[in-house]
Amino acid sequence: MKLDVIKLDGGSAGSVELDDALFGLEPRADILHRVVRWQRNNAQAGTHKVKTRSETSYSTKKIYRQKGTGGARHGDRNAPIFRKGGIYKGPTPRSHGHDLPKKVRKLGLMHALSAKAKAGQLVVIESAAAEGKTSALAKQVKELGWKRALIIDGAEVNEGFAQAARNIDGLDILPSMGANVYDILKRDTLVITKAGVEALEARLK
């Protein structure tokens, strides 16, 4: 699969041959769904917590005598049936994460790349380098028509480019090792540098 390579100023920089095993698959929604669900569940804090009857601040004294009142039998006000009493079987802190085989995770990333390529939302640029000026980079991004874009670079992100991109709304940049299914699918345009293409091919082969 051959794709044209462009520069940040919009000029042509030749073409690049993309591996069909990574960018030419027929995207499978079930695999993408499994990987995104695994990512989001692992990211969930799971810090939700309620107070049980042993943690509420009422007295533990029996509220009235056992017999002779004509009412139901009760102990203290911490019981779940009373207002502001403890909550019965409420949420407690826990991890929402679950396991997913490495092969499925790898396959998910390949299908995400293929989905962007098939939709015509994949752009390959020569390099992602800038002098740290947000205004200059924002102008280039606007001229290229990228509204919600993810840029994947090689092993490391250019420091000046990262600094310039930091304040641009809708523009994210990641090193090749940070490439993941959720971030790829979340953005309208996937931009990969030539170094990023090589790094992804090395990572996923």
Side-chain angles (χ1 to χ4, degrees):
M1 178 183 180
K2 189 170 275 189
L3 206 67
D4 291 333
V5 180
I6 63 169
K7 298 176 183 176
L8 276 174
D9 60 9
S12 176
S15 61
V16 66
E17 191 70 37
L18 298 177
D19 192 345
D20 283 340
L22 268 65
F23 297 92
L25 300 172
E26 187 63 36
R28 279 181 54 182
D30 60 322
I31 290 176
L32 294 173
H33 175 264
R34 282 181 70 185
V35 179
V36 169
R37 184 169 166 267
W38 169 77
Q39 273 188 253
R40 301 315 295 153
N41 282 3
N42 281 340
Q44 193 170 342
T47 52
H48 39 19
K49 172 78 172 70
V50 295
K51 288 185 177 181
T52 62
R53 67 180 296 169
S54 65
E55 296 167 324
T56 47
S57 60
Y58 280 114
S59 167
T60 55
K61 180 178 179 293
K62 188 172 174 67
I63 54 176
Y64 49 71
R65 66 182 190 272
Q66 179 83 344
K67 294 179 177 291
T69 63
R73 297 170 287 186
H74 288 299
D76 60 43
R77 280 278 180 187
N78 295 298
I81 64 169
F82 291 118
R83 185 169 178 270
K84 294 187 178 179
I87 303 296
Y88 177 64
K89 285 190 176 178
T92 55
R94 68 183 180 90
S95 169
H96 291 267
H98 60 268
D99 291 332
L100 190 68
K102 281 184 181 178
K103 284 184 179 179
V104 178
R105 288 182 249 163
K106 181 179 174 180
L107 201 58
L109 188 51
M110 291 157 68
H111 278 266
L113 295 171
S114 296
K116 286 297 179 186
K118 188 177 182 184
Q121 297 173 339
L122 177 64
V123 179
V124 178
I125 60 173
E126 190 175 31
S127 63
E131 295 176 0
K133 294 287 184 184
T134 300
S135 56
L137 182 60
K139 186 180 178 184
Q140 289 176 328
V141 168
K142 188 176 180 182
E143 287 172 355
L144 289 165
W146 301 343
K147 290 183 179 177
R148 285 165 45 84
L150 170 67
I151 299 174
I152 297 176
D153 207 345
E156 290 183 1
V157 174
N158 178 274
E159 195 174 324
F161 190 88
Q163 188 177 342
R166 199 174 295 152
N167 246 6
I168 300 176
D169 187 35
L171 188 68
D172 284 337
I173 180 162
L174 291 171
S176 59
M177 283 308 294
N180 64 87
V181 175
Y182 178 70
D183 282 329
I184 289 172
L185 297 180
K186 188 171 70 167
R187 298 298 185 185
D188 296 333
T189 308
L190 175 62
V191 183
I192 311 179
T193 64
K194 285 177 80 173
V197 170
E198 291 171 7
L200 284 172
E201 287 178 351
R203 173 184 167 186
L204 296 172
K205 275 186 178 178

